[in-house]
Amino acid sequence: MSEKIRLYVDTPLGEGQSVLLSRDQAHYLFGVMRQQVGAYVSLFNGRDGEWQAEVVEAGKRKGILLCTKLTAPLRMPPDLWLLFAPIKKARTDFIVEKAVEMGARAIAPVITEYTNSERVRQDRLQAHALEAAEQCGATYVPQVQAAGRLDRLLADWDPDRRILFADESRAGTLDALIGAPGPWAILIGPEGGFSSWERETLLKMPQVVPIALGPRILRADTAAVAAMTLWQHSIGDWQGGGA
Amino acid sequence: MSEKIRLYVDTPLGEGQSVLLSRDQAHYLFGVMRQQVGAYVSLFNGRDGEWQAEVVEAGKRKGILLCTKLTAPLRMPPDLWLLFAPIKKARTDFIVEKAVEMGARAIAPVITEYTNSERVRQDRLQAHALEAAEQCGATYVPQVQAAGRLDRLLADWDPDRRILFADESRAGTLDALIGAPGPWAILIGPEGGFSSWERETLLKMPQVVPIALGPRILRADTAAVAAMTLWQHSIGDWQGGGA
């Protein structure tokens, strides 16, 4: 299997546009992947779609590519945010990766009462999101927000943005999703669950739709994928079987 | 948050039954978790439900618990197998963990044409499944099967067991799931996809239901959770909102 090489770049892409690689990208492309002048790779920047580009200069620490043709238009994921309480480093990385694959438009770590808040490194998580986008064929890269406190976020919450709230104790159904497009957020709690105050506050908000995710206790990363699957399947960009 | 301690044991459980801990479990319970005589923990063995048990002897390398009361009956997951092509070690572990949380009854690594088959350690994966069951509150532990070749498995496939086949190239719908209970398997391919022969063979089988999982390329572990979510939600034990 020769997989297509995809690289995220932070420069404009378009017909005839030259792109200067970063040192790390040149090392990866020419050193690790052994590509040479004349090879084709795919580039995307989160704004201009995916471009086929030809290697025109290849050095140890630099390289230049030339955009030759648009291979996929920009495809924005639906207006869905993933809010999650940061957990252990590896699992937090994992949630970010999954949010990109599953098609979130923004990713926001939220500090809840029961969050054991190690410091969340926004730049590292954003880099992780870029890598996931390279892997999964996305043309858009969700923004990773700075970590914020849940109570403050909720106090100032957009009345038009609904919240799908994965609540172990509530047997909600998905019916509330059907025919309710528009902005949404999915909220995944920490492994210890939400505090009573948080749960009560959420359940009082008219934007909140609680759903249960089966009879077993899901880890936060599993719950994130499961909730996003139900949402994408019901009203997101998986409708009509994907495509 | 004081989480309930749950331990898997390989001995019978029942009213008044004594349970001898393994050396590792005694170390974990008394050394790491600092439990003492008189403390209560939860035990399950995959057959007799979940039991509250009291510590009656606590030593550095051994311990005895006494079952006091049944706290949850055995709850079998639906008759759903998860078949997946083994990938890198960490991701394979992850798929096993997710299969337990999501409620598979059996887990089978399958070797496909594009599987880069590192050796699959069945015993290690089974241990991983036990740990996941301890975490997620399951009273049943899925069996991890020995790795088998996909072509042989398909040649001898039970005519009554349907296969939900996550096929990137097919826009199937979930309608085929509705009202089709009975034995099922979910088949997740390797990151390189299935070969043409495998795909054709699968699509010719009357048991096979292809589904697409959205417009982005999902990693195998993400695809496993997503496909199991759709299945559990449609005809599995998440119906009626879980519980």
Side-chain angles (χ1 to χ4, degrees):
Chain A
M1 298 304 290
S2 75
E3 296 279 333
K4 192 170 64 167
I5 296 173
R6 296 185 90 237
L7 292 179
Y8 170 87
V9 293
D10 194 18
T11 52
L13 297 174
E15 190 73 39
Q17 176 80 44
S18 298
V19 175
L20 196 64
L21 293 180
S22 72
R23 193 174 157 144
D24 285 352
Q25 286 175 322
H27 172 72
Y28 170 73
L29 199 57
F30 309 128
V32 181
M33 301 303 285
R34 304 271 169 204
Q35 302 296 300
Q36 298 174 334
V37 167
Y40 286 98
V41 300
S42 292
L43 302 180
F44 68 107
N45 62 6
R47 303 183 300 273
D48 301 321
E50 182 190 84
W51 286 80
Q52 187 190 65
E54 187 182 350
V55 177
V56 292
E57 277 189 49
K60 270 200 174 168
R61 293 173 186 183
K62 62 182 184 179
I64 298 176
L65 307 187
L66 182 69
C67 292
T68 51
K69 110 180 149 191
L70 182 71
T71 47
L74 173 65
R75 185 185 174 119
M76 297 282 286
D79 190 0
L80 174 67
W81 297 351
L82 181 69
L83 275 55
F84 71 98
I87 38 180
K88 277 180 275 175
K89 180 173 167 299
R91 301 240 170 216
T92 296
D93 288 354
F94 200 83
I95 289 184
V96 168
E97 173 189 301
K98 289 337 180 193
V100 177
E101 290 178 40
M102 296 297 300
R105 193 175 291 181
I107 300 170
V110 295
I111 310 302
T112 67
E113 288 192 45
Y114 296 157
T115 302
N116 290 321
S117 99
E118 298 178 44
R119 198 164 154 268
V120 181
R121 291 223 9 222
Q122 189 182 359
D123 57 341
R124 206 176 54 75
L125 293 182
Q126 186 66 64
H128 215 70
L130 291 181
E131 242 178 77
E134 288 179 339
Q135 281 270 348
C136 78
T139 50
Y140 178 82
V141 183
Q143 288 289 317
V144 177
Q145 311 295 320
R149 280 178 50 175
L150 180 64
D151 53 356
R152 290 188 194 151
L153 274 172
L154 294 183
D156 201 27
W157 192 260
D158 174 0
D160 291 331
R161 184 173 295 274
R162 302 225 201 172
I163 299 176
L164 192 63
F165 165 45
D167 181 4
E168 285 157 24
S169 66
R170 293 277 292 213
T173 78
L174 276 184
D175 297 344
L177 281 180
I178 310 296
W184 275 88
I186 286 174
L187 173 61
I188 303 293
E191 314 251 306
F194 291 97
S195 71
S196 320
W197 181 87
E198 287 167 341
R199 175 169 286 119
E200 281 161 29
T201 303
L202 283 160
L203 293 175
K204 266 187 243 154
M205 290 172 65
Q207 301 98 323
V208 165
V209 176
I211 47 158
L213 298 172
R216 287 157 297 271
I217 301 161
L218 303 188
R219 284 179 186 271
D221 47 352
T222 318
V225 176
M228 295 186 81
T229 298
L230 294 178
W231 191 91
Q232 289 287 19
H233 172 70
S234 301
I235 52 169
D237 66 9
W238 291 22
Q239 286 180 92
Chain B
M1 298 300 293
S2 75
E3 296 280 332
K4 191 170 65 167
I5 296 172
R6 294 186 90 235
L7 291 178
Y8 171 87
V9 294
D10 193 20
T11 51
L13 298 174
E15 189 73 42
Q17 176 80 44
S18 298
V19 175
L20 197 61
L21 293 180
S22 72
R23 193 174 157 145
D24 286 352
Q25 286 175 323
H27 171 71
Y28 169 75
L29 199 57
F30 309 128
V32 181
M33 302 303 287
R34 306 269 168 204
Q35 301 297 301
Q36 297 175 335
V37 167
Y40 286 98
V41 299
S42 291
L43 301 180
F44 68 107
N45 61 6
R47 304 182 300 273
D48 301 321
E50 181 190 85
W51 285 80
Q52 185 190 67
E54 186 181 352
V55 176
V56 293
E57 276 189 49
K60 271 203 172 166
R61 295 172 184 183
K62 62 183 185 180
I64 297 175
L65 307 187
L66 183 69
C67 292
T68 51
K69 107 180 151 191
L70 183 71
T71 46
L74 173 65
R75 183 182 175 123
M76 297 282 286
D79 189 359
L80 173 68
W81 297 351
L82 181 69
L83 275 53
F84 72 97
I87 38 179
K88 276 179 277 174
K89 182 174 167 297
R91 301 243 170 211
T92 296
D93 288 355
F94 200 83
I95 288 183
V96 168
E97 173 189 300
K98 289 337 180 192
V100 176
E101 289 178 42
M102 295 297 300
R105 194 176 291 182
I107 300 171
V110 295
I111 309 301
T112 68
E113 288 191 47
Y114 297 156
T115 302
N116 289 322
S117 100
E118 298 178 43
R119 199 165 153 267
V120 181
R121 290 217 19 216
Q122 188 182 359
D123 56 340
R124 206 176 52 77
L125 293 182
Q126 187 66 64
H128 215 71
L130 292 181
E131 242 178 75
E134 289 178 340
Q135 280 271 348
C136 76
T139 50
Y140 178 80
V141 184
Q143 287 291 316
V144 177
Q145 310 294 319
R149 280 177 48 176
L150 180 64
D151 54 354
R152 292 188 193 150
L153 274 172
L154 294 183
D156 202 27
W157 192 259
D158 175 357
D160 292 331
R161 184 174 294 274
R162 302 226 202 170
I163 299 177
L164 191 64
F165 165 44
D167 182 3
E168 284 158 25
S169 66
R170 293 277 291 213
T173 77
L174 276 184
D175 297 345
L177 282 180
I178 310 295
W184 275 88
I186 287 175
L187 174 61
I188 303 293
E191 314 251 306
F194 291 97
S195 71
S196 320
W197 181 88
E198 287 167 342
R199 177 169 284 120
E200 281 160 29
T201 304
L202 282 160
L203 293 176
K204 266 187 242 155
M205 291 172 65
Q207 301 98 323
V208 165
V209 175
I211 46 157
L213 299 171
R216 288 155 297 270
I217 301 161
L218 303 187
R219 284 179 185 269
D221 47 351
T222 319
V225 176
M228 295 186 82
T229 299
L230 294 178
W231 191 92
Q232 290 286 19
H233 171 70
S234 300
I235 52 169
D237 67 7
W238 289 24
Q239 286 179 91

